Amino acid sequence: PAYVITYFAVRGRCETMRMLLTDQGQEWKENEVTFDMWKKGDLKATCVFGQLPKFEDGDFTLYQSNAILRYLARAHGKRRLYGKDDKQAALIDMMNDSCEDLRLKYIRMIYQDYENGKAKYIEDLPGDLTKFEKILSNNKGGFLVGGQISYADYQLLDLLLNHQVLSPGCLDSFPALKSYVARLSARPKIKAFLESDAHKSRPINGNGKQ
Ligand SMILES: N[C@@H](CCC(=O)N[C@@H](CS(=O)(=O)O)C(=O)NCC(=O)O)C(=O)O
């Protein structure tokens, strides 16, 4: 498939799909947009919702990072990253929606309230992490849902990695989360990706705060 990601040179809302694609042995092309190019407005005007990421699979175009992840989870009808049946798929969507809730909180703090809100955000963070801790410690399958990796696992991994940068010890009182991050990060293709210059060269967020 001729996959193209059009996005800023940041991890942001695309590192999850980059990890998913890498772990699944899929190639893609990065179409990097600089903030100066974006400010001109002509690319923005072509985006259905005026925002990036934009994802292309040949002549098929998608926007909305979560829709892109779900498309990749179903890729070519194999539904490989969407559980074993519709009920598991619904549970996986539920988990991803909760990841999105956490991502929105994180983004709001990073872009709108970093200096004054970071300490409080970190103080409140265990309230969110404890829910994922319980889910993972209750599910013996080792993933958010069932016994196989799903697109929501890549999403949670990305969030937890970002939060470990924001607050390095934030998983110390969550053993299930800590071992989950270690285990997923040790998957050979993900390990190589996390060590790659491409990954390391991209800041987590567009305003350089993390
Ligand atoms: N719900 C969208 C949000 C996309 C979004 O907020 N894009 C931002 C960039 S980032 O927050 O994802 O880094 C954007 O295009 N901002 C530029 C603009 O809105 O003009 C998604 O999930 O893809």
Side-chain angles (χ1 to χ4, degrees):
Y3 289 153
V4 181
I5 294 175
T6 298
Y7 192 56
F8 305 105
V10 300
R11 298 181 193 171
R13 285 186 170 278
C14 284
E15 216 63 5
T16 299
M17 67 181 81
R18 292 173 176 135
M19 283 196 284
L20 181 157
L21 289 167
T22 302
D23 197 39
Q24 296 300 317
Q26 299 280 357
E27 310 248 307
W28 74 93
K29 182 178 161 297
E30 291 281 355
N31 181 16
E32 263 183 27
V33 178
T34 66
F35 297 120
D36 290 344
M37 282 159 67
W38 184 250
K39 272 205 287 279
K40 287 204 191 75
D42 34 356
L43 172 62
K44 179 178 173 83
T46 67
C47 296
V48 173
F49 306 105
Q51 292 197 309
L52 296 176
K54 167 181 177 180
F55 183 83
E56 291 162 285
D57 177 1
D59 58 7
F60 178 64
T61 299
L62 271 181
Y63 296 89
Q64 290 295 350
S65 58
N66 290 303
I68 296 165
L69 287 168
R70 288 191 288 268
Y71 175 73
L72 294 173
R74 286 187 290 260
H76 319 297
K78 296 197 192 74
R79 299 173 45 121
R80 241 190 359 260
L81 302 174
Y82 230 138
K84 64 178 173 39
D85 56 29
D86 286 351
K87 282 201 175 77
Q88 282 202 346
L91 288 169
I92 289 162
D93 285 339
M94 176 183 84
M95 298 296 174
N96 189 64
D97 285 355
S98 187
C99 287
E100 177 67 18
D101 288 343
L102 179 56
R103 186 177 295 276
L104 284 171
K105 278 188 204 171
Y106 171 84
I107 287 171
R108 197 173 307 119
M109 182 275 294
I110 289 285
Y111 286 95
Q112 296 168 21
D113 192 22
Y114 188 78
E115 279 65 30
N116 301 329
K118 177 180 172 180
K120 173 97 174 56
Y121 181 88
I122 291 171
E123 197 186 306
D124 295 346
L125 184 57
D128 290 309
L129 295 180
T130 193
K131 289 156 185 144
F132 288 108
E133 174 74 8
K134 284 200 185 77
I135 290 162
L136 286 169
S137 40
N138 291 341
N139 179 19
K140 298 304 161 217
F143 298 100
L144 281 168
V145 176
Q148 62 191 71
I149 199 164
S150 75
Y151 81 89
D153 289 300
Y154 296 106
Q155 187 84 284
L156 183 57
L157 174 62
D158 178 60
L159 279 169
L160 294 176
L161 290 172
N162 291 349
H163 280 81
Q164 285 186 306
V165 171
L166 176 75
S167 172
C170 71
L171 300 186
D172 289 351
S173 42
F174 299 107
L177 289 180
K178 200 161 186 179
S179 65
Y180 174 80
V181 169
R183 184 162 44 85
L184 293 189
S185 303
R187 287 166 72 102
K189 293 187 175 81
I190 292 185
K191 184 173 186 302
F193 175 81
L194 294 175
E195 290 164 357
S196 71
D197 292 341
H199 170 70
K200 288 183 179 167
S201 70
R202 286 187 287 264
I204 299 176
N205 303 297
N207 64 356
K209 290 174 184 171
Q210 55 181 23

